[in-house]
Amino acid sequence: MKVPMRKASDSYQACVARTKAEERRERLLNAANAVQKAGQALREAAAARNLHDLDPKGFKVPEIADDAFVDWAYENGMQTVRGRVIRDELMAAPPNERCPLCRQGTVRQLDHFMPKSHFPVLCVDPLNLVPVCERCNLIKGNKRPDSAENTLLHPYLDRVSHEGWLDARSIHDSGTVRLRFFVSPPASWDATLIARVKNHFRLFELGKRYAIEANRAISDVTYSVERQRKRGGARMVRVYLEDEAESRFAVDLNSCEGITYRTLAADDLYCEGPSGQGSPSSVGSL
């Protein structure tokens, strides 16, 4: 996902400049400097990879209660004509409306990466607003990082999609096959990034979600796999699955379907199939 081009100050002005209540509008406009400084602090911390060091005490709006500021600037501001333009831009950022946190759900909401309950002054900063699915937004809640290792992946800032880090192994049980997904970090990653990705994977239950998706993928190709097996045995099945995996990896190196097909292609038992019983089928998620 591309980093939002709008500045924090521009987004804030768009959300509050046409506030109807004159006294409220004046108070909000007077807070513009605080918003600008907070936006700069956010960007500096992001560049230094120390978002966990940001102190909520420094992200308050002078003379305006936290809840009131969030209501006025975000809840109301994002409903104005100019505010909706910003919201629509952010919601349209993920390719194919795919949630960037889980890579499975459909974006439906905006999440405050640094929670607005702790960092109200960042409530309309585009860099702090991430389009997500409802499930991921619920799981994340108002969690904020308190160490480098448990800082969640930021879709705008953390570029991990250009390297393969997701893998799976197949597990056979009574004629069925299921996949167990896990993080397999590249050798170039440092310990902190590995810990962050594993924490992200665990929090959003990606292993379970990807296993469910793998079941669907296995079910979808069962007929084609059986045809290939009849035509040329395990070799034809393996070639077919490798081709399917390659087409997915051309778009996404960590494609759940791509990992599924690659794992099955390397599984001799799956490719050969149980004698006289057809191909193994998928089972429930892990």
Side-chain angles (χ1 to χ4, degrees):
M1 289 175 58
K2 295 182 179 179
V3 178
M5 298 301 294
R6 288 182 182 270
K7 299 178 180 179
S9 56
D10 293 340
S11 177
Y12 183 68
Q13 287 289 332
C15 288
V16 306
R18 296 189 179 182
T19 301
K20 293 181 179 179
E22 184 175 350
E23 179 186 3
R24 179 183 299 178
R25 181 174 64 252
E26 183 176 354
R27 293 175 67 186
L28 288 170
L29 291 176
N30 287 339
N33 286 337
V35 171
Q36 184 174 1
K37 290 180 181 178
Q40 182 61 31
L42 174 68
R43 284 154 179 77
E44 290 175 356
R49 297 190 179 279
N50 59 5
L51 289 172
H52 58 284
D53 285 336
L54 292 179
D55 186 351
K57 294 179 181 178
F59 289 82
K60 309 292 184 180
V61 181
E63 301 181 1
I64 303 179
D66 293 351
D67 291 345
F69 183 79
V70 171
D71 284 342
W72 297 348
Y74 179 72
E75 302 295 347
N76 294 331
M78 280 291 179
Q79 298 304 316
T80 65
V81 173
R82 296 174 67 189
R84 283 198 297 270
V85 170
I86 295 171
R87 180 182 177 84
D88 290 346
E89 288 177 356
L90 293 168
M91 292 293 288
N96 303 315
E97 300 184 357
R98 188 66 59 87
C99 174
L101 296 184
C102 67
R103 302 165 63 248
Q104 293 292 313
T106 301
V107 295
R108 290 285 185 266
Q109 302 170 348
L110 285 178
D111 170 69
H112 291 81
F113 190 83
M114 303 300 286
K116 61 183 183 294
S117 58
H118 298 288
F119 300 85
V121 74
L122 298 174
C123 68
V124 293
D125 189 323
L127 190 65
N128 198 44
L129 294 171
V130 178
V132 297
C133 68
E134 185 175 1
R135 183 178 185 275
C136 284
N137 202 12
L138 181 64
I139 290 175
K140 180 175 176 293
N142 65 352
K143 295 180 180 66
R144 65 183 181 90
D146 56 17
S147 70
E149 289 75 16
N150 73 4
T151 300
L152 297 175
L153 298 177
H154 194 305
Y156 300 136
L157 305 174
D158 294 303
R159 307 297 185 180
V160 298
S161 61
H162 66 288
E163 296 180 282
W165 56 264
L166 182 65
D167 206 347
R169 65 176 61 94
S170 55
I171 300 172
H172 291 267
D173 182 21
S174 302
T176 64
V177 61
R178 53 192 170 98
L179 299 191
R180 184 185 297 276
F181 287 81
F182 56 91
V183 174
S184 179
S188 60
W189 284 12
D190 60 34
T192 299
L193 181 56
I194 293 173
R196 291 180 62 202
V197 173
K198 288 185 176 180
N199 177 58
H200 189 104
F201 190 87
R202 180 173 55 255
L203 177 65
F204 293 107
E205 300 178 330
L206 299 188
K208 179 179 181 180
R209 298 199 70 178
Y210 294 164
I212 292 173
E213 188 64 25
N215 286 341
R216 294 171 180 156
I218 295 172
S219 178
D220 288 345
V221 299
T222 295
Y223 176 74
S224 295
V225 165
E226 290 177 347
R227 288 185 64 189
Q228 297 301 325
R229 187 176 291 122
K230 291 178 180 178
R231 290 176 177 176
R235 184 185 66 81
M236 288 294 291
V237 171
R238 188 169 291 109
V239 170
Y240 167 74
L241 292 171
E242 289 174 346
D243 285 345
E244 291 295 311
E246 184 177 353
S247 68
R248 271 65 173 184
F249 290 144
V251 178
D252 178 4
L253 290 176
N254 296 289
S255 163
C256 176
E257 285 191 352
I259 300 296
T260 298
Y261 298 139
R262 184 182 69 189
T263 302
L264 295 178
D267 184 337
D268 290 340
L269 181 58
Y270 178 83
C271 291
E272 292 170 0
S275 178
Q277 298 179 23
S279 64
S281 60
S282 64
V283 298
S285 62
L286 301 180

